Amino acid sequence: MRGGGGYYGESSSSTTRDFVCHAGAGAAAGAIAATFVCPLDVIKTRLQVHGLPPGHQGSVIITSLRNITEAEGLRGLYRGLSPTIIALLPNWAVYFTVYERLKGMLHKNDDGSDQLGTGANMIAAAGAGIATSVTTNPLWVVKTRLQTQGMRPGVVPYRSVLSALSRITREEGLRGLYSGIVPSLMGISHVAIQFPAYEKLKSFMAKRDNTTVDQLSPGRFAVASSISKVVASIITYPHEVVRSRLQEQGHAKNLEARYNGLIDCVKKVYHSEGFPGFYRGCATNLLRTTPAAVITFTSYEMMHRFLERVLPPDTKHSHHSHLGPGGEGNKVGGKAGSSQQSHHTQSSKTTHVVPLRNTE
């Protein structure tokens, strides 16, 4: 805070405790959500790449679930979960580190208020998303391959995440590990839409309930995360179809069936399937991402609060960052009005970030 030290001043530089709280909460929330919605994620990816399941009658989801369990057992519904779990901690660590650095840089040029504007938040979120996508793309390629392997005849399946990384590197080189990176980077717009919308919705709900963001109920977090996720998903969904097809095509033995990059993929999908082709699996995706967002954001907020309670504060930051509302009020003279105002200011400064690789 200008003129007195605050969240974007001294204490905006992330402490080890801040990092552990954010990283631990983010990884735990992501693992819970990924495990819960993995079967729908498998179905969505297969719809994006191969279209409707054979023998389709009635519900696509029910037919897909039946086909997968009959052919591959329960294990088939959780293909690709391992690389997702492995990617969570580096995904979070990179996102949080870059996001906080960008917030600090952007705040120096902001209008003097304690909170960043929507535009600055979008820039910070987009920059962090780009760094995260570049760092973790090989694991997402493996995830897509594991989820769709077995659907192409004559393809030797990967035995594990390490086996997949090794074979892709040996057979396709760096290009294989970074297949789909261009649409992934385009998908940063998903985060740039979702995150600012989520923050604005939380602020709106807190103001309407005459409380602070820190005191919102889990139900409020669920509503805010659901609305922001649905809007962002619908607007940006076509890039997911293109990304999945580019990531999966390493399985294709027929060179004529391969895409020669982003533009070629877009042209072939449009010519063969029309505009609806870019929304293959969108309904399933919404059924997957909406509860995933609710679980991720809500469990993140709850886990973050828990870690902040149990982890000891960093000594050099404790005076500025970890005084309770009452303690802070006593410091400034014990006036009720000052205490309430200080509490509101401190709460409104703390903005938690959940890195969702378009995430998924």
Side-chain angles (χ1 to χ4, degrees), residues 36-309:
F36 184 80
V37 302
C38 190
L40 289 175
D41 193 29
V42 173
I43 294 171
K44 177 214 67 171
T45 304
R46 294 189 179 195
L47 288 174
Q48 289 176 339
V49 175
H50 296 288
L52 295 174
H56 164 57
Q57 289 182 345
S59 171
V60 173
I61 295 177
I62 298 300
T63 302
S64 298
L65 288 172
R66 184 176 62 247
N67 290 350
I68 293 172
T69 51
E70 288 177 355
E72 305 168 53
L74 188 63
R75 184 178 181 180
L77 297 176
Y78 288 89
R79 290 194 181 278
L81 182 59
S82 296
T84 301
I85 299 296
I86 293 171
L88 282 172
L89 199 54
N91 188 78
W92 173 264
V94 173
Y95 191 101
F96 173 68
T97 302
V98 176
Y99 183 85
E100 287 297 314
R101 290 292 177 88
L102 289 175
K103 273 204 311 184
M105 292 170 57
L106 292 168
H107 189 263
K108 293 176 183 178
N109 300 315
D110 209 21
D111 59 5
S113 62
D114 287 325
Q115 286 191 313
L116 289 178
T118 302
N121 255 326
M122 290 178 69
I123 293 172
I130 290 171
T132 304
S133 292
V134 172
T135 303
T136 60
N137 194 78
L139 286 169
W140 302 124
V141 173
V142 171
K143 168 180 172 284
T144 300
R145 300 276 182 95
L146 289 176
Q147 288 182 334
T148 57
Q149 71 177 3
M151 299 192 73
R152 289 185 186 272
V155 175
V156 178
Y158 301 119
R159 296 189 306 274
S160 64
V161 175
L162 288 178
S163 167
L165 287 171
S166 175
R167 276 183 51 191
I168 293 171
T169 303
R170 186 174 63 253
E171 296 169 7
E172 304 170 49
L174 195 63
R175 183 175 181 176
L177 293 174
Y178 280 90
S179 56
I181 187 63
V182 176
S184 288
L185 293 178
M186 293 172 62
I188 299 306
S189 58
H190 182 285
V191 181
I193 293 170
Q194 181 189 1
F195 174 67
Y198 175 68
E199 292 297 320
K200 288 296 182 182
L201 283 167
K202 284 199 301 183
S203 297
F204 170 76
M205 290 178 178
K207 189 175 295 184
R208 191 181 66 175
D209 294 347
N210 195 29
T211 185
T212 62
V213 169
D214 282 357
Q215 301 302 317
L216 285 174
S217 67
R220 294 299 193 194
F221 288 128
V223 171
S225 58
S226 296
I227 295 174
S228 60
K229 186 65 177 180
V230 168
V231 171
S233 294
I234 292 175
I235 293 174
T236 64
Y237 187 76
H239 92 275
E240 290 198 41
V241 173
V242 176
R243 184 191 67 210
S244 292
R245 295 195 181 202
L246 290 174
Q247 290 178 340
E248 188 273 345
Q249 69 173 349
H251 280 320
K253 298 300 182 184
N254 181 6
L255 294 179
E256 294 181 1
R258 296 196 181 191
Y259 304 111
N260 297 316
L262 173 69
I263 302 300
D264 185 54
C265 182
V266 171
K267 287 180 178 178
K268 286 180 177 177
V269 171
Y270 183 75
H271 286 317
S272 62
E273 303 173 54
F275 187 71
F278 294 104
Y279 279 87
R280 289 275 187 203
C282 186
T284 304
N285 184 58
L286 291 178
L287 287 175
R288 178 189 70 87
T289 56
T290 304
V294 171
I295 294 169
T296 302
F297 277 90
T298 305
S299 56
Y300 168 82
E301 300 281 1
M302 299 301 106
M303 183 66 70
H304 188 273
R305 291 180 186 179
F306 169 75
L307 290 174
E308 283 196 321
R309 287 199 305 270

